[in-house]
Amino acid sequence: MRFGNIQALYLFWLLIGLVLFYIWSFRKRRAALQRFASEDLIPDLTREQDPKKQKLKVFLILLAVLLMIFSFLRPQWG
């Protein structure tokens, strides 16, 4: 397999940036919740927000960006 647009490899920096952004935002959110409420109260306040669903959403977004970058590379067979 060869790629028709090898310059699109620079877009992988976008993917790394998104991963770092999501890590930062999850930590920032956790710190804000800890400042706002005690540890005992946080599960009651965030009962409707499922962390597994949030992580699944982030994973699917990152997978979509990865596949878009791969398509920008224009893979070619034969």
Side-chain angles (χ1 to χ4, degrees):
M1 178 181 357
R2 61 187 174 94
F3 298 105
N5 185 14
I6 200 73
Q7 291 84 13
L9 283 175
Y10 291 115
L11 292 175
F12 280 110
W13 289 108
L14 172 70
L15 188 66
I16 293 170
L18 279 174
V19 169
L20 293 175
F21 169 74
Y22 280 121
I23 291 171
W24 173 80
S25 67
F26 279 132
R27 287 183 182 172
K28 194 76 163 170
R29 180 179 177 271
R30 187 175 343 140
L33 278 173
Q34 288 174 348
R35 274 182 298 182
F36 179 71
S38 67
E39 289 291 326
D40 304 341
L41 191 57
I42 290 176
D44 293 334
L45 292 174
T46 60
R47 183 175 300 143
E48 295 162 359
Q49 297 176 350
D50 188 12
K52 290 180 184 177
K53 286 184 181 178
Q54 289 177 347
K55 290 178 183 176
L56 177 65
K57 179 181 175 182
V58 168
F59 172 74
L60 291 175
I61 289 171
L62 292 174
L63 180 64
V65 170
L66 176 68
L67 292 175
M68 283 192 303
I69 292 171
F70 186 71
S71 69
F72 289 151
L73 286 170
R74 288 186 15 218
Q76 300 169 356
W77 295 90

